[in-house]
């Protein structure tokens, strides 16, 4: 489904566009995003960890499960907990996210990973983690926008999954546009 003549914007984890925002000062540029999906979509890049004021480079963090809650803590200093700062960044940009028709998240990240992110038991980091977490930003994104097409970069390397994501983004855009047109007030023609 196409909506010609309109710019369609998708949110993207900034590091996937080649921005040097990762904890190690590097990036994870994905050409299948910039070179292939860039033909169809404009990108709205967000880095939750930079947005939370953590800077780059910065100490690596990981997820832990504490009292039934998933928290994002600094790996080597688990008393430093960035969960609230990351959640605060999501709240700060939430209104801007109403304007995107899809989102591409960086896999395996304690902030951006969509699913199967490593979760450790506090104080027992030497044990193998479970793979059942979602990043702090990503979990809030998915909960707040359940109809938004969201994918991780690893899946978009597969041409069939990439095509499916593109179709879902177009469908989301067209549905949103139709809803907006239905809600626009009808302007009556003046008799004179
Ligand atoms: S995975 Fe997310 S938080 Fe980490 S560097 Fe990339 S955009 Fe930033």
């Amino acid at each position: 489904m196409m909506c010609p003549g309109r710019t369609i914007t998708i949110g993207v984890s900034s590091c996937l566009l080649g921005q040097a925002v990762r904890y190690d000062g590097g990036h994870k540029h994905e050409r299948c995003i910039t070179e292939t999906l860039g033909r169809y979509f404009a990108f709205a890049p967000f880095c939750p960890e930079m947005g939370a004021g953590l800077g780059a480079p910065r100490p690596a963090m990981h997820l832990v499960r504490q009292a039934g809650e998933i928290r994002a803590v600094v790996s080597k200093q688990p008393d430093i907990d960035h969960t609230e700062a990351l959640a605060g960044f999501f709240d700060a940009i939430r209104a801007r996210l109403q304007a995107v028709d899809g989102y591409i998240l960086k896999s395996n990240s304690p902030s951006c990973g969509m699913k199967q992110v490593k979760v450790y038991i506090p104080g027992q980091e030497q044990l193998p983690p479970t793979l059942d977490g979602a990043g702090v930003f990503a979990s809030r994104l998915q909960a707040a926008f359940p109809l938004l097409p969201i994918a991780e970069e690893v899946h978009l390397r597969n041409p069939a999954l990439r095509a499916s994501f593109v179709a879902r983004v177009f469908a989301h855009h067209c549905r949103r546009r139709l809803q907006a047109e239905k809600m626009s007030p009808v302007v009556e023609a003046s008799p004179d």
Side-chain angles (χ1 to χ4, degrees):
M1 187 173 357
M2 303 286 282
C3 276
R6 298 276 176 149
T7 299
I8 299 178
T9 302
I10 57 176
V12 189
S13 296
S14 306
C15 56
L16 297 173
L17 298 184
Q19 296 182 12
V21 292
R22 276 172 54 86
Y23 74 95
D24 59 3
H27 60 75
K28 285 284 180 182
H29 184 200
E30 273 289 331
R31 294 195 183 283
C32 75
I33 297 173
T34 52
E35 292 177 7
T36 307
L37 297 182
R39 292 185 212 141
Y40 306 106
F41 306 130
F43 299 127
F46 297 103
C47 174
E49 293 179 23
M50 292 294 280
L54 305 183
R58 56 186 171 273
M61 67 174 88
H62 64 213
L63 297 180
V64 294
R65 185 172 279 106
Q66 276 178 343
E69 263 188 52
I70 300 284
R71 312 289 303 179
V73 301
V74 172
S75 305
K76 292 191 173 162
Q77 278 180 283
D79 53 317
I80 301 178
D81 185 328
H82 291 309
T83 313
E84 300 309 326
L86 292 165
F89 174 70
F90 175 80
D91 291 341
I93 66 160
R94 185 181 172 131
R96 291 167 65 190
L97 295 173
Q98 306 273 5
V100 304
D101 285 302
Y103 209 107
I104 304 172
L105 289 164
K106 171 72 187 71
S107 60
N108 299 323
S109 157
S111 302
C112 291
M114 185 178 171
K115 56 189 174 186
Q116 296 179 326
V117 179
K118 292 175 186 169
V119 182
Y120 292 87
I121 300 171
Q124 298 187 41
E125 282 80 1
Q126 75 282 6
L127 296 178
T130 56
L131 294 176
D132 58 349
V136 173
F137 177 86
S139 61
R140 282 158 179 76
L141 177 72
Q142 293 174 90
F145 300 98
L147 300 180
L148 187 69
I150 302 176
E152 292 184 327
E153 87 292 357
V154 283
H155 299 116
L156 297 177
R157 292 173 193 156
N158 175 311
L161 296 179
R162 195 163 64 235
S164 163
F165 177 71
V166 169
R168 289 191 295 130
V169 171
F170 277 122
H172 185 276
H173 176 78
C174 292
R175 189 168 57 243
R176 209 161 55 84
R177 183 177 155 191
L178 286 172
Q179 279 170 350
E181 284 170 0
K182 264 195 228 157
M183 286 166 59
S184 303
V186 176
V187 179
E188 298 284 346
S190 166
D192 50 14

